[in-house]
Amino acid sequence: MDPSALESLIAQAKEEGKTPFYVNATAGTTVLGSYDPIRAISKICREHHLWLHIDASWGGPAIFSPDLARERLDGTHLADSIAINPHKMMGVPLTCSFLLGADLRQFHAANTLPASYLFHGDAETEGEGHTLKQPGEVYDLADLTLQCGRRGDALKLYLSWAYHGTSGYRTQIETAFETAA
């Protein structure tokens, strides 16, 4: 993504009476492995109050290599949300996907559909407004996802990580990047 083109397109959309609200940057495209300049894109998003999502489905595991992470993932910590699919580069069994957010309360408010017969939260976290007293109060993880119920993706990642170890994943990922270069 070209940040100057992004800036121009945002201005154009606003001039046309549209309301931009979201930018999707990429950290490792599936076909070419391209990485967008996340830090520069994040700056533009903050200036225009836009949600920044990073699709790191393929390239997110570069985090296991300090050198690759510094080079490829610079600025990812500034995103509002990021998607990672360990079943792609890390070889975790299908499917294994994560949508991570900077503020758990936003996901909770966006995905909560109070159903007393299904979820057993307290009255203050359910109902209109979906407010929480503190960020750490979300215990029912089903309320944080679109799917409501989900297979054990975290367990698949945990078992693979326990088997390969951090250094094993670092070697695997660095080898993949060296091979592609």
Side-chain angles (χ1 to χ4, degrees):
M1 185 182 305
D2 178 355
S4 60
L6 173 63
E7 184 86 54
S8 159
L9 289 169
I10 292 168
Q12 178 184 340
K14 288 180 176 181
E15 286 171 11
E16 294 172 357
K18 297 175 182 171
T19 306
F21 67 93
Y22 171 90
V23 172
N24 191 111
T26 304
T29 60
T30 303
V31 176
L32 297 175
S34 300
Y35 285 77
D36 287 331
I38 308 281
R39 189 173 292 276
I41 293 168
S42 171
K43 183 176 184 283
I44 294 166
C45 288
R46 282 193 312 272
E47 289 170 3
H48 293 278
H49 306 288
L50 304 176
W51 183 277
L52 174 58
H53 174 75
I54 299 172
D55 177 352
S57 298
W58 181 83
I63 195 71
F64 282 95
S65 168
D67 294 336
L68 288 170
R70 236 183 333 276
E71 177 187 333
R72 310 280 174 128
L73 299 174
D74 180 48
T76 53
H77 66 286
L78 301 170
D80 295 293
S81 59
I82 186 168
I84 300 171
N85 298 141
H87 69 261
K88 291 186 175 183
M89 187 181 288
M90 296 171 67
V92 174
L94 283 173
T95 62
C96 186
S97 303
F98 295 92
L99 175 62
L100 308 173
D103 186 349
L104 185 66
R105 294 169 299 175
Q106 290 178 327
F107 280 178
H108 186 263
N111 293 303
T112 297
L113 180 60
S116 59
Y117 64 89
L118 186 58
F119 302 116
H120 305 287
D122 63 34
E124 291 192 43
T125 61
E126 292 184 356
E128 206 63 38
H130 314 296
T131 56
L132 298 172
K133 290 184 255 176
Q134 299 173 21
E137 288 187 42
V138 179
Y139 297 109
D140 192 341
L141 300 182
D143 249 2
L144 299 175
T145 67
L146 300 171
Q147 298 95 340
C148 178
R150 179 84 182 194
R151 292 180 301 277
D153 284 359
L155 179 61
K156 294 179 211 175
L157 177 58
Y158 170 78
L159 292 173
S160 294
W161 200 339
Y163 179 79
H164 294 285
T166 300
S167 63
Y169 273 133
R170 177 183 181 170
T171 301
Q172 176 181 329
I173 288 155
E174 287 175 349
T175 301
F177 275 87
E178 288 167 10
T179 303

